[in-house]
Amino acid sequence: MSSPDPIAAIKAEFKDRIVSWEEKSPKRYYITMPREDITKVADFIFAKQGARFIIASGVDTPEAIEILYHFAFDKLNKILTVKVPVPKERCEIESIAPIIAGANWIEREIAELLGVNFLNHPNPKRLLLAEDWPEGKYPLRQEPRSNR
Amino acid sequence: MGKFWALKKSIWVFHMCTGSCNNCDIEILDCLTPKFDLERFGILLVGSIRHADVILVTGAVTRKCLPRMKLTWEQMPQPKLVVGIGSCALSTGIFSPGYNIVGPVDKHIPVHAYVPGCPPKPEAIIDGVVKLVGSLG
Amino acid sequence: MNQKTIIPVGPFHPLQEEPEFFELEVEGEKVIDITVNIGYNHRSIEKIAESKTFDQMVFLVERICGICSTSHPIANCNAVEDLAGIEIPERAKYIRSIVGELERLHSHLLWAGLAGHFIGYNTLWMWVWKYREPILDLFEAVTGNRNHYAMMKPGGVRQDIEEGAIPALSKGLDEAEKKIEMVTKAALDDPVLAARLKGVGILSKEEAIDYCAVGPTARASGVDIDVRKDEPYAAYGLVDWKIITQEDGDVFAKVVVRLLECFESIKIIRQCLQKLKTTKGDIAVQVKEIPPGEGIGHHEAPRGETFHYIRSDGSNMPVRLKVRAPTYVNLPTCKVTVPGESVADATIILAAIDPCYCCTERLVKVIDRERGRKWKWEDLLRLSRKKTERIKKRMGISHE
Ligand code: SF4
């Protein structure tokens, strides 16, 4: 099922779609992909290459909300992070929870903390915040950093 | 504290966590186990708030917990006493800048005894509860 | 439909990262669905971290969870070190592993006791917790505190283990090992425990992979992942030990994995203590500046992989810290393990993941749909205990 060198396989599979590719160390890889491809990428890495999905992180940067999908190849001691920038104007991305059951909660969490809309999520309910938390207020969005 | 004389002999405690790191909570449970053995003072941890004389509150009170905490406190029979355990319950501690923290506990319900520490040692918790008992009636 | 009852469980459980609120949907005795609500303990730590310096952050993440209170600091330091490309001194590596493994010992024992409490074996609870105390004493000897050890910092550890303290530590460890051995034998040979836990709440290997389960939950289902082996950080690559796995995926397998892991931990600590005698040198390197960039660190906590992601912009505070605790991915597996089982087994299956144990606390409020029947967590515990009694009777073991 999985190839002996999944990193090379991913590179070959998506070579004309990859926006940037960084090999920080032999253990850590960061690639940037356009958001249209995320379901294909997740399916390829998780289902075909047998990686373990660790978690996704959302980061608010000045340009866009970046969503980072962290995948682990445990036996090869490599962690591959797929970065997907989501512009703030149309803040939505296809959900990968239908492909990876373990992504269900984290997508709900990112949705409420960072205000990213996950399309076709199986259960897009609120996860962490209180029932009376105001809609449209996203605690992990950055305020202008005047205090630093 | 005249009306509390009834609690002097054997107080039953209920334990409630309102958003702690659960270290205070394991230390409370630790008090019950053979090394510290709170039951020799007649103190028993009960499973239902309706049976309790004292609640031990830990944690910095998160927004989602607040209504539950108040409800639990209201359901407690009179006379009721509250002990706040750990820096979180006392002052929200390290979590005070958080957006989801609405504590400390005594902002919302009256607290009768404070046990500081992060986490307080079981000896300190026992001491706090015993002092509270000593101050009754 | 008209036979459906919803049993709320929670939200007050003292011993876990997040108080949870379970709703069990039952038909007669059988659970047909379970919903998990979390967030009662959401303390916005990731946001607070953005206003802490890298050194302060360690103390903050230490307070994510009181039971894994050294796992998060280790993972966090791993992440900072990955970001800045720091290599820690060898002596610091051994000390990190010693503290990490002591924590695994105390956490697994704590869990075993509470699992016993759940199925009505309070004797097991009291015994195991009694034998857990010496380990806390070891902690006090090594770090100065029973919990929240404050041992880690980016670049190494804060406190050394003096040569003179090693014999006492070894002795304490030997004694603890004897006790753990006794408890393990007693638990694994107990026919009642076997009858009660075998074949209950099975998580298949495929499901474990699909839900991305980690730690003992995954290893009990035959998935041999363990960060300590797969990415040997600290001293785990320098000492000899093995990963414990089981194939069955039921609650009993999880018990076996945890209990046997205790012995591996003791093995690791022993070797580290030995190595400390011969490895001299610093216990930390100076960390001057954290460059801009990203770092990922993980650590095998008692419950599974703890994952930290840090992004820095070159200042003394992180721009973003992402924390993933193991329970976050282990807990959703109850969606497949609990439905189909009887109500009496639900408590122990939920507890087997090791997210929540002493659920003596919850709110007295029962959502009751059709039948007008009141269920409380106490009722569940009672059911669970009754079942143990029944099994004991069937086996002809008196419970007096
Ligand atoms: S006071 Fe300290 S130990 Fe207690 S819950 Fe708060 S952070 Fe945890």
Side-chain angles (χ1 to χ4, degrees):
Chain A
M1 184 169 89
S2 56
S3 48
D5 189 354
I7 303 285
I10 293 159
K11 211 167 180 174
E13 174 83 15
F14 296 104
K15 56 182 177 306
D16 42 353
R17 303 291 298 163
I18 292 172
V19 180
S20 76
W21 178 282
E22 183 198 351
E23 182 180 335
K24 187 159 182 287
S25 71
K27 294 192 275 187
R28 305 280 188 260
Y29 296 81
Y30 296 88
I31 61 176
T32 311
M33 298 290 293
R35 78 171 146 178
E36 294 74 37
D37 291 343
I38 184 58
T39 46
K40 258 185 273 152
V41 174
D43 185 57
F44 186 75
I45 300 179
F46 182 76
K48 308 240 164 48
Q49 300 299 331
R52 178 169 62 87
F53 174 71
I54 305 176
I55 200 67
S57 335
V59 184
D60 184 13
T61 62
E63 299 80 40
I65 306 262
E66 267 180 31
I67 300 183
L68 291 80
Y69 298 86
H70 308 281
F71 292 94
F73 295 96
D74 287 302
K75 290 298 154 228
L76 303 168
N77 184 10
K78 290 182 196 309
I79 291 183
L80 172 74
T81 301
V82 180
K83 284 189 197 172
V84 183
V86 180
K88 284 181 197 166
E89 297 78 58
R90 203 164 58 83
C91 209
E92 54 189 33
I93 186 168
E94 201 63 37
S95 163
I96 61 165
I99 305 165
I100 306 171
N104 190 322
W105 278 14
I106 185 63
E107 289 193 344
R108 286 163 67 185
E109 183 183 320
I110 295 179
E112 65 188 313
L113 296 185
L114 278 158
V116 178
N117 186 10
F118 286 90
L119 305 171
N120 301 324
H121 190 283
N123 181 22
K125 276 203 306 213
R126 193 169 260 197
L127 181 72
L128 289 176
L129 295 175
E131 298 82 358
D132 62 348
W133 187 269
E135 285 290 330
K137 200 171 149 212
Y138 304 116
L140 279 188
R141 290 256 180 126
Q142 299 288 359
E143 289 132 34
R145 297 204 141 198
S146 54
N147 53 349
R148 282 165 74 100
Chain B
M1 285 180 147
K3 64 185 176 198
F4 290 114
W5 60 267
L7 300 184
K8 275 187 75 176
K9 285 288 184 248
S10 156
I11 47 177
W12 285 11
V13 297
F14 178 81
H15 160 217
M16 181 167 60
C17 153
T18 62
S20 69
C21 78
N22 71 32
N23 214 336
C24 285
D25 312 276
I26 49 175
E27 291 293 48
I28 291 177
L29 283 183
D30 231 23
C31 295
L32 292 173
T33 52
K35 187 168 177 191
F36 298 102
D37 194 12
L38 260 182
E39 277 186 40
R40 66 201 150 118
F41 301 115
I43 298 170
L44 181 71
L45 192 73
V46 291
S48 167
I49 186 68
R50 305 227 193 256
H51 301 158
D53 304 313
V54 173
I55 8 183
L56 310 176
V57 189
T58 63
V61 191
T62 62
R63 205 163 163 145
K64 205 164 172 176
C65 260
L66 177 64
R68 276 101 183 155
M69 181 182 89
K70 281 196 184 143
L71 191 58
T72 310
W73 183 76
E74 278 159 17
Q75 287 176 343
M76 191 176 175
Q78 289 281 8
K80 44 189 161 192
L81 291 171
V82 180
V83 182
I85 291 185
S87 317
C88 285
L90 269 50
S91 67
T92 69
I94 196 162
F95 304 117
S96 57
Y99 55 80
N100 211 27
I101 301 291
V102 292
V105 174
D106 59 6
K107 212 160 113 189
H108 305 285
I109 56 176
V111 177
H112 300 88
Y114 299 84
V115 182
C118 183
K121 295 185 98 176
E123 289 93 332
I125 298 177
I126 296 174
D127 189 41
V129 177
V130 168
K131 274 203 179 119
L132 180 71
V133 176
S135 75
L136 298 179
Chain C
M1 263 315 265
N2 57 346
Q3 285 295 296
K4 234 164 50 182
T5 311
I6 294 188
I7 306 178
V9 180
F12 288 127
H13 315 241
L15 289 179
Q16 90 206 69
E17 285 136 82
E18 292 137 347
E20 295 139 359
F21 181 57
F22 300 100
E23 280 172 37
L24 301 179
E25 244 174 75
V26 297
E27 235 170 49
E29 272 273 289
K30 226 171 91 195
V31 182
I32 49 174
D33 199 8
I34 177 166
T35 316
V36 189
N37 298 321
I38 61 168
Y40 296 98
N41 213 351
H42 177 66
R43 285 155 294 163
S44 44
I45 288 177
E46 290 177 7
K47 185 76 181 175
I48 301 173
E50 291 168 13
S51 61
K52 301 271 178 218
T53 66
F54 286 98
D55 267 330
Q56 291 169 333
M57 191 165 62
V58 180
F59 296 106
L60 177 69
V61 298
E62 187 159 46
R63 279 155 183 78
I64 290 175
C65 168
I67 307 172
C68 325
S69 85
T70 207
S71 306
H72 286 287
I74 293 181
N76 195 275
C77 292
N78 279 346
V80 175
E81 283 149 16
D82 177 54
L83 198 168
I86 301 164
E87 182 64 33
I88 64 170
E90 203 180 336
R91 203 173 159 83
K93 288 185 178 173
Y94 291 121
I95 297 179
R96 273 193 188 179
S97 285
I98 289 173
V99 180
E101 292 310 302
L102 276 176
E103 181 179 85
R104 194 178 317 277
L105 277 177
H106 110 81
S107 169
H108 281 352
L109 289 181
L110 185 138
W111 173 81
L114 287 161
H117 172 64
F118 265 1
I119 54 171
Y121 257 23
N122 268 350
T123 324
L124 184 67
W125 178 30
M126 290 296 166
W127 268 25
V128 173
W129 277 53
K130 187 169 151 205
Y131 299 143
R132 185 178 149 261
E133 285 298 328
I135 294 171
L136 294 183
D137 292 344
L138 288 183
F139 264 129
E140 215 165 347
V142 172
T143 69
N145 205 355
R146 291 160 53 91
N147 322 76
H148 285 336
Y149 323 109
M151 280 294 269
M152 307 301 151
K153 69 172 181 182
V157 292
R158 271 174 215 281
Q159 282 181 61
D160 205 354
I161 298 179
E162 311 264 303
E163 173 104 46
I166 293 178
L169 293 178
S170 309
K171 193 161 152 268
L173 207 59
D174 290 345
E175 271 161 27
E177 186 180 22
K178 269 187 235 133
K179 302 282 163 49
I180 298 172
E181 214 164 287
M182 188 192 82
V183 171
T184 308
K185 281 205 189 111
L188 297 188
D189 291 345
D190 191 313
V192 180
L193 277 186
R196 188 66 219 279
L197 305 179
K198 274 201 177 141
V200 169
I202 295 175
L203 181 72
S204 72
K205 190 170 178 177
E206 290 69 43
E207 285 160 350
I209 291 173
D210 204 31
Y211 276 89
C212 316
V214 291
T217 308
R219 289 198 285 275
S221 300
V223 186
D224 64 335
I225 49 171
D226 191 319
V227 186
R228 294 175 291 168
K229 265 283 190 267
D230 300 335
E231 187 183 324
Y233 56 95
Y236 295 116
L238 309 169
V239 291
D240 171 45
W241 62 281
K242 58 178 195 294
I243 304 181
I244 306 282
T245 53
Q246 291 282 313
E247 295 303 321
D248 300 341
D250 54 4
V251 176
F252 194 75
K254 291 177 184 134
V255 178
V256 175
V257 167
R258 290 209 172 89
L259 287 174
L260 295 185
E261 268 183 12
C262 288
F263 297 103
E264 294 303 313
S265 296
I266 294 176
K267 227 160 88 187
I268 296 173
I269 302 172
R270 273 222 186 92
Q271 295 174 46
C272 287
L273 284 174
Q274 276 310 321
K275 294 265 176 74
L276 271 189
K277 287 184 187 159
T278 51
T279 319
K280 296 283 176 257
D282 283 340
I283 53 163
V285 290
Q286 276 275 336
V287 180
K288 290 242 168 53
E289 247 164 57
I290 307 286
E294 297 163 292
I296 288 174
H298 46 176
H299 165 69
E300 186 74 20
R303 287 160 192 71
E305 179 206 38
T306 300
F307 175 90
H308 280 229
Y309 165 84
I310 292 177
R311 180 179 289 191
S312 151
D313 60 357
S315 70
N316 61 349
M317 297 179 198
V319 179
R320 177 84 168 94
L321 164 71
K322 170 75 202 161
V323 178
R324 205 278 333 259
T327 304
Y328 200 88
V329 284
N330 284 341
L331 195 56
T333 61
C334 69
K335 268 266 183 229
V336 290
T337 51
V338 175
E341 302 286 348
S342 77
V343 181
D345 286 335
T347 50
I348 185 65
I349 299 174
L350 289 174
I353 308 163
D354 194 0
C356 60
Y357 336 88
C358 181
C359 302
T360 37
E361 16 279 274
R362 81 265 159 277
L363 209 62
V364 189
K365 185 180 167 197
V366 179
I367 311 169
D368 200 348
R369 278 233 192 120
E370 317 288 340
R371 285 212 283 181
R373 186 163 167 196
K374 304 261 178 203
W375 289 83
K376 292 186 208 148
W377 183 248
E378 267 172 358
D379 298 328
L380 288 184
L381 274 182
R382 212 183 46 240
L383 271 178
S384 174
R385 286 174 186 154
K386 263 204 202 129
K387 186 165 174 186
T388 309
E389 293 299 323
R390 267 205 311 277
I391 292 174
K392 275 187 183 166
K393 259 204 206 112
R394 211 169 50 226
M395 293 181 150
I397 302 170
S398 112
H399 49 270
E400 295 316 322

